[in-house]
Amino acid sequence: MNGLLRPARRTTLADDVYESVRTLVMDHAVAPGERINIDALARRLEVSPTPVREALARLESDGLVRKRPLAGYTAAPLLTRTEFDELVEMRLILETASARRVAERFARRPTGGADGDGGSAGPDGELAELRREAELPDQVPGTEGFAAIAAFTAQDARFHHLLAERSGNRMLHSAVVRLRAHLHLFRLHFPAAHHGTSAREHLLIVDAIGTGDPDAAGAAMRDHLLAAADRHLPFFEGTRCG
């Protein structure tokens, strides 16, 4: 049995290396399309090649690196304008549906007490949770690049993934998570306008869900996704913000 257990330190090391390599890719320290030399990267991080390979396998599932037979790993290219538009279109299809479905659930549930799906928090408790998750952290003081926005990016993703999960449709939730939209978008650049604005838009979505109105919830999500897309458009015009 002992031989099957992995030390806690090993897991921590793997996670640390993953975060380090992800930051290098997000910050373009490993340029888009650049071939990744595993041994050189291991020396740079002062670890063995094994956790680097594990990190790259995870990043491949994130869509941040690509693996080709006999060629190894390369950093994935940035989204083209066409791919960006396609990603936004997919989010509009999937995430407006998830917001509508969550609102539909609220419309069917009594006020206060246990919810109709076997939960104990009730609608008021769930709304309070959604509002907490809708809030977004500010940029981390004294940091720059992806390190400054990593917490924001992770929390933004958690909010959207939570709504998809609460839709009650497991395939919808899985599809939203697999898009890895936040990693791909914030790899382009991080618009300073996201700070504060995105949280306010999230709260509008939660408020619409609380009314039990699927049309209002879907419209609030659509407005948020389109506004967020507009904040990224300067990248395609040759201007990097934030």
Side-chain angles (χ1 to χ4, degrees), residues 177-192:
V177 172
R178 283 201 309 271
L179 279 180
R180 302 293 196 273
H182 296 76
L183 286 177
H184 298 306
L185 291 173
F186 292 125
R187 189 174 173 229
L188 296 176
H189 74 151
F190 183 80

Side-chain angles (χ1 to χ4, degrees), residues 131-216:
R131 288 195 177 96
R132 287 194 300 271
E133 295 298 324
E135 297 289 354
L136 297 169
D138 292 329
Q139 180 170 319
V140 179
T143 60
E144 58 184 17
F146 182 64
I149 64 166
F152 178 105
T153 303
Q155 183 61 37
D156 196 22
R158 274 195 297 272
F159 173 73
H160 287 269
H161 294 173
L162 177 62
L163 286 183
E165 179 184 15
R166 295 295 170 83
S167 75
N169 186 317
R170 289 176 295 178
M171 293 187 70
L172 175 58
H173 175 234
S174 179
V176 170
V177 172
R178 283 201 309 271
L179 279 180
R180 302 293 196 273
H182 296 76
L183 286 177
H184 298 306
L185 291 173
F186 292 125
R187 189 174 173 229
L188 296 176
H189 74 151
F190 183 80
H194 270 299
H195 282 303
T197 303
S198 289
R200 288 192 294 272
E201 292 167 359
H202 285 180
L203 290 170
L204 290 175
I205 296 169
V206 176
D207 289 342
I209 286 172
T211 68
D213 185 339
D215 291 338

Side-chain angles (χ1 to χ4, degrees), residues 17-32:
V17 172
Y18 166 77
E19 293 294 342
S20 295
V21 179
R22 184 177 66 154
T23 297
L24 291 173
V25 173
M26 293 292 291
D27 281 340
H28 304 178
V30 177

